[in-house]
Amino acid sequence: VDASAAAWGAFVAHRPSGTVFELSRGWPFPVARSAHAEPRAAEEAFLWAESHFGGSVAIVTDHESMATGQRRASTLHGGFSNAFPLNSFFASFYSRCGGCPDARREVFHIEGSLNMADWLSRHTHISSPLVARPVEVSLPSLTDDSPRRQWMG
């Protein structure tokens, strides 16, 4: 997932079917701060993915505070912030599947230059409607112990 002042974009992979969707949507008005845009984009992409597929969700972002602030599976610490946009994202991300004990929620950080969704967020215009379409793109697996290495190639 990635966000710009004008829009956000994401790739959503449904691993059981092998289908990848490209999502993009323009903000209703410019969002000047990345600290506001990135968590909002992740939340929108997450809500779309959850409403269509449910289950476990992994988000890959270049917004480091989303990854460093996430709840730790081993201790359940984290998942909150002093920043309202991050708290809104974390609240949605962790509370939506309370009845799904096997559903995992994780956020992975990658360098911005490696974020495949960057192009989507920068080539969508203000107020553009949500576009969700299947695409032929190969996304790396996040199942091994070093997901960033897979995104780097």
Side-chain angles (χ1 to χ4, degrees):
V1 67
D2 191 60
S4 69
W8 64 271
F11 289 99
V12 174
H14 183 242
R15 294 290 184 197
S17 69
T19 306
V20 177
F21 292 87
E22 176 184 285
L23 306 179
S24 61
R25 183 177 190 176
W27 299 121
F29 51 84
V31 180
R33 299 188 191 287
S34 173
H36 292 201
E38 297 279 354
R40 286 177 54 193
E43 185 173 4
E44 291 214 24
F46 161 68
L47 292 173
W48 186 91
E50 195 212 27
S51 71
H52 286 78
F53 309 120
S56 297
V57 175
I59 292 180
V60 179
T61 178
D62 56 18
H63 193 69
E64 191 169 3
S65 61
M66 288 172 56
T68 59
Q70 73 180 311
R71 183 177 296 159
R72 305 296 183 261
S74 59
T75 64
L76 297 182
H77 290 292
F80 57 90
S81 167
N82 290 333
F84 177 79
L86 272 177
N87 275 337
S88 177
F89 164 71
F90 287 140
S92 179
F93 196 54
Y94 294 120
S95 68
R96 300 231 4 129
C97 200
C100 310
D102 294 332
R104 292 180 55 195
R105 305 281 193 250
E106 289 190 65
V107 181
F108 296 93
H109 175 258
I110 59 166
E111 296 300 319
S113 62
L114 301 172
N115 191 340
M116 295 172 65
D118 182 74
W119 189 92
L120 297 172
S121 71
R122 301 196 187 289
H123 290 85
T124 303
H125 303 288
I126 293 281
S127 298
S128 294
L130 176 66
V131 173
R133 63 185 187 102
V135 293
E136 292 292 325
V137 65
S138 178
L139 299 177
S141 172
L142 296 173
T143 58
D144 87 12
D145 291 335
S146 53
R148 282 183 281 188
R149 191 171 337 124
Q150 292 182 24
W151 281 84
M152 290 183 218

